[in-house]
Amino acid sequence: MKRILTTVNTFSRRRTFDSLRPLTNHPRTIPVTRNLHTSSNPHNATATATATSKPQDAAGSLSSNPQMAFPCLDALETRTSNLLNNSTPVKKFSSGGGPEPSYTSGPHQTFHSPTPLRLDWGGTLPTYTIAYETWGSLNPTASNAILLHTGLSASSHAHSTPSNPSVGWWEKFIGEGKALDTSKYFVICTNVIGGCYGSTGPSSVDPSTVTDGSSGKGVPYATKFPIVTLEDMVRAQFALLDHLGIQKLFASVGSSMGGMQSLAAGVLYPERVGRVVSISGCARSHPYSIAMRFVQRQVLMSDPNWSRGHYYSSIPPHVGMKLAREIATVTYRSGPEWEQRFSRLRADPAKPPALCPDFKIETYLDHAGEKWCLEYDANSLLYISKAMDLFDLSEDVQREARARREGYAGGRGGSCTLTLPDEAYEEQEGPQSPEITTTGTPRRPPRDLIAGLSPLKNHKVLVIGVASDILFPAWQQREVVDALREGGNEGVTHVELGEDVSLFGHDTFLLDTINVGGVVGEFLKE
């Protein structure tokens, strides 16, 4: 283990939606072949143009250029039409409402808690359900359990099971002889509170809408769902551990958002967690990642079909979801990797440029959005991404959250009174944090963060970062390590993968079974 870590540690540290309706005043043009300029929608005026000797504009005068076609917009219109006609595969919501995305990840186990979950921001869930899956066997002393935390949009299906043989999101990292060795450990993975793969979230039925004699029918929470935090999700997970009879985890393991939750598990329940593994995570969200998630939410919420969250009996906001996913995908990988994969290649260099996907990188992003836009609940994306923004393990933040929970008197929580500022933001002189240098990297961890991570003083902690990660830059993992060490933790192992090792950016934790999986496996063996 020491040899591997030494080698790795020396790696370098471098680092519009209404407009989708068909236009009625298109100039009519001559379609010769179907290409990036030619519509694939037979109902679009561009695709049904009649032949003329020269193209004309809307006023009938001669035009030097034909009207450009937009097959990418045609495809969005077609999906909207298919959803209206119920011809796109969707599942019906349990209340009997209209089309809804297929959220389920397949068969899983469920834990239903009748005990209310008090939340960090004053709301409550009177009851809640957690979807989970397990691999391996729990030993007689219940001392070999590993809690695996997911990224933002992942389900509990981290690995295939007899009841659900489809490939899981961490398939190559779980199993006999792998990073999470199922011959030794009992691995548990849950869908988080706020999610849409079986755990209680915005798409779940609001129990206050279920009346006697209604056979359990009701309407979804939608945006009546309370604001949740990553710490709320962790507390719900530990209620599941209580149900399973697990008093102490052998380890808490997670990547990305899961890496944040893994640290939170150790901070909230230091006596119930043995080791902590945090991969490509952080101890507090920083402005860049907050900004990227904000833009995704704004794009999604601007889709008219979002309907302020109440879309479950109509068309889901598939356009906003597609665009939000494309933005997210830009942050998941790295520029150097895309240079190798796509360079400046166009999908078809023999055809003239188009405003729809044209370069290969554009077609890749388009495909990423397409395959996801109906597979995840839009409201879950909003709530969970906001929970990531709010994440901060600093001592004062945790103390204030605890006071809100303990002071909560019941009910459904207060209404949101947030308003936009009266004046626009004005640039301030100098850095806003005394701990930040002029280059934008931390000078040292804030004392409040050092104090917040102090419950992990006596824990073995593995922190892995990736130099090519732009969403959770490697300096954020170094901040975690420095804060732990300044707080007196002498059992921290820090691994940073340079660009000469991995160009996969943030997604390295999903792909690198050697430099991520191998290091995790060795750490758990020590």
Side-chain angles (χ1 to χ4, degrees):
M1 179 62 182
K2 288 185 177 179
R3 183 186 61 81
I4 294 176
L5 292 177
T6 300
T7 301
V8 178
N9 274 319
T10 58
F11 292 153
S12 56
R13 289 184 170 177
R14 31 183 186 265
R15 271 259 5 107
T16 96
F17 303 99
D18 284 334
S19 63
L20 299 181
R21 297 172 182 150
L23 298 174
T24 57
N25 60 347
H26 282 177
R28 301 169 75 80
T29 60
I30 309 170
V32 179
T33 58
R34 290 190 182 275
N35 56 32
L36 289 171
H37 283 280
T38 306
S39 171
S40 59
N41 185 346
H43 302 293
N44 189 286
T46 307
T48 57
T50 58
T52 58
S53 58
K54 283 189 176 182
Q56 295 182 337
D57 61 20
S61 59
L62 292 179
S63 172
S64 60
N65 301 298
Q67 167 62 43
M68 183 176 288
F70 296 96
C72 51
L73 301 189
D74 294 340
L76 299 178
E77 294 168 5
T78 298
R79 182 160 54 236
T80 296
S81 177
N82 289 341
L83 287 167
L84 280 170
N85 296 325
N86 289 324
S87 58
T88 292
V90 291
K91 77 170 186 177
K92 297 292 184 179
F93 193 71
S94 57
S95 64
E100 181 186 275
S102 178
Y103 304 152
T104 182
S105 59
H108 53 256
Q109 301 178 72
T110 57
F111 161 64
H112 181 74
S113 174
T115 304
L117 180 65
R118 292 186 177 183
L119 307 173
D120 280 345
W121 281 97
T124 186
L125 292 176
T127 63
Y128 60 92
T129 297
I130 295 180
Y132 70 99
E133 296 177 50
T134 66
W135 304 268
S137 300
L138 189 63
N139 64 19
T141 59
S143 60
N144 68 332
I146 292 178
L147 180 59
L148 175 62
H149 306 270
T150 72
L152 187 157
S153 57
S155 71
S156 61
H157 193 61
H159 189 275
S160 53
T161 63
S163 59
N164 184 4
S166 60
V167 174
W169 58 267
W170 233 35
E171 187 80 15
K172 296 181 180 180
F173 293 77
I174 302 172
E176 291 192 17
K178 298 181 180 179
L180 303 188
D181 191 340
T182 51
S183 67
K184 299 179 179 179
Y185 310 120
F186 179 62
V187 182
I188 309 161
C189 185
T190 81
N191 181 221
V192 298
I193 290 295
C196 55
Y197 290 116
S199 294
T200 297
S203 60
S204 303
V205 170
D206 181 348
S208 70
T209 66
V210 179
T211 57
D212 293 339
S214 64
S215 301
K217 292 183 179 180
V219 298
Y221 277 106
T223 43
K224 290 184 178 180
F225 195 74
I227 289 291
V228 292
T229 65
L230 300 191
E231 293 89 332
D232 292 328
M233 300 172 190
V234 169
R235 279 187 286 271
Q237 289 173 322
F238 273 77
L240 167 64
L241 295 181
D242 291 339
H243 169 72
L244 296 175
I246 299 171
Q247 179 58 33
K248 183 174 182 178
L249 292 169
F250 177 79
S252 173
V253 178
S255 307
S256 187
M257 184 183 85
M260 301 156 78
Q261 287 183 287
S262 188
L263 287 172
V267 168
L268 296 177
Y269 300 96
E271 73 287 350
R272 298 190 63 179
V273 176
R275 305 178 184 211
V276 174
V277 176
S278 180
I279 308 166
S280 297
C282 62
R284 54 178 182 151
S285 285
H286 291 268
Y288 176 80
S289 61
I290 293 174
M292 295 306 299
R293 289 188 289 266
F294 166 75
V295 172
Q296 293 171 51
R297 290 196 298 271
Q298 290 289 289
V299 166
L300 171 52
M301 292 163 64
S302 296
D303 186 331
N305 287 322
W306 181 62
S307 301
R308 304 204 175 203
H310 297 274
Y311 53 80
Y312 293 107
S313 61
S314 58
I315 299 175
H318 63 95
V319 178
M321 283 291 281
K322 176 182 177 178
L323 298 179
R325 185 62 171 186
E326 291 179 10
I327 295 170
T329 303
V330 171
T331 70
Y332 294 156
R333 295 297 182 93
S334 74
E337 185 221 351
W338 283 354
E339 180 68 34
Q340 289 186 2
R341 254 173 103 184
F342 306 110
S343 186
R344 289 182 42 80
L345 295 176
R346 294 177 57 224
D348 189 345
K351 295 177 180 177
L355 296 180
C356 280
D358 180 12
F359 284 90
K360 283 195 172 183
I361 180 61
E362 294 174 329
T363 62
Y364 167 76
L365 293 174
D366 183 71
H367 175 68
E370 279 289 322
K371 70 178 183 179
W372 195 74
C373 66
L374 291 177
E375 293 301 317
Y376 197 75
D377 181 29
N379 285 334
S380 283
L381 175 61
L382 296 174
Y383 275 86
I384 297 177
S385 72
K386 187 64 179 182
M388 293 179 71
D389 291 353
L390 294 169
F391 184 67
D392 189 341
L393 289 177
S394 299
E395 186 177 52
D396 285 347
V397 173
Q398 297 301 310
R399 183 188 300 112
E400 291 167 2
R402 185 165 52 251
R404 284 192 296 269
R405 288 196 314 276
E406 294 174 352
Y408 182 63
R412 295 178 57 84
S415 61
C416 178
T417 57
L418 180 67
T419 58
L420 295 176
D422 294 330
E423 298 181 1
Y425 170 78
E426 292 184 6
E427 194 65 44
Q428 305 296 312
E429 292 289 337
Q432 298 305 293
S433 172
E435 291 86 14
I436 301 298
T437 67
T438 55
T439 61
T441 57
R443 182 173 287 110
R444 65 181 301 274
R447 294 185 181 278
D448 197 27
L449 184 62
I450 295 171
L453 292 178
S454 63
L456 292 174
K457 178 179 179 180
N458 298 314
H459 288 66
K460 286 188 175 182
V461 181
L462 169 63
V463 178
I464 301 178
V466 180
S468 59
D469 189 345
I470 62 172
L471 184 60
F472 286 78
W475 66 262
Q476 294 187 7
Q477 290 86 58
R478 293 198 293 270
E479 179 182 68
V480 174
V481 172
D482 291 344
L484 288 169
R485 287 175 176 167
E486 290 200 31
N489 189 318
E490 298 179 354
V492 182
T493 300
H494 179 213
V495 176
E496 186 172 300
L497 306 181
E499 291 183 3
D500 48 345
V501 175
S502 177
L503 293 179
F504 293 124
H506 188 62
D507 274 358
T508 296
F509 75 88
L510 293 170
L511 304 169
D512 197 333
T513 56
I514 297 176
N515 294 304
V516 173
V519 171
V520 171
E522 289 297 319
F523 174 78
L524 295 176
K525 289 179 184 177
E526 288 185 336

